[in-house]
Amino acid sequence: MSFYHALKTAAIDSGAVTNNAFNVATAHTKTFAQLPAEQFLRPLPAIHIDINASLDDATLVLNKTHQAAALVVNADSEPVGLISLAQLGSRNVLEMAQKMGLSRSELTVSDMMVSINSLRQISTAQVVNAQVGDIKETIEADGIAYLFVQNSQKKAVGYFDIIDLVKNSNGMITTLKPCHDFKDVVAQLLHNKEM
């Protein structure tokens, strides 16, 4: 049984989340999973991409700005999702095009983004009291790529990215999506390798 547990969503508390510099002394005395989670909280991307933009336009914007991810906004400039270079370059694009009966060039950002509504959101107060192991366990349990953090006004203020956690821990992730047959396992392995 794992020492860490999945974070439970709860009523939103007020609490400040800060991005502290990584403490080298702490790294020598604690395992990666025991480090404070707030050290790995990413602010919301400064780059915004329209929900109806083409995949090629989104890729161009991310490459030109040297960003790995962008916030997807609707016509009212409200955040509705996240899109990353990993999603835009993965074989999931071709699978989605085939599933929808469209060509790759006909897909838009809305077809490939990760919707904010589909993600679990935790409060800033939960982040302040959490360790990296708690965040990783939560993400693994939900089979998601991102975990959003919201403030007391229920506004997203940042997120955790599973790719960051895996890279920083030199570890591995159990799964991002549930697999039901061998084809799903192969697709998941290839997708994770691309990311």
Side-chain angles (χ1 to χ4, degrees), residues 98-117:
Q98 184 180 24
K99 180 178 171 183
M100 295 177 72
L102 301 171
S103 68
R104 183 194 180 284
S105 62
E106 294 175 301
L107 292 176
T108 64
V109 169
S110 65
D111 299 320
M112 294 306 301
M113 73 176 188
V114 176
S115 170
I116 290 177
N117 293 335

Side-chain angles (χ1 to χ4, degrees), residues 126-179:
Q126 288 175 297
V127 172
V128 170
N129 297 315
Q131 296 177 334
V132 173
D134 300 326
I135 300 297
K136 189 171 178 273
E137 183 76 19
T138 301
I139 290 174
E140 286 179 329
D142 280 358
I144 54 178
Y146 304 104
L147 180 63
F148 265 73
V149 178
Q150 57 187 4
N151 62 17
S152 57
Q153 290 81 34
K154 295 191 177 185
K155 181 180 177 187
V157 295
Y159 68 101
F160 290 99
D161 183 347
I162 189 59
I163 303 300
D164 281 348
L165 296 180
V166 172
K167 284 180 181 176
N168 283 303
S169 70
N170 293 325
M172 53 189 253
I173 190 78
T174 305
T175 185
L176 288 180
K177 293 192 292 190
C179 298

Side-chain angles (χ1 to χ4, degrees), residues 22-30 35:
F22 184 74
N23 185 343
V24 176
T26 304
H28 294 298
T29 58
K30 293 183 177 180
L35 292 174

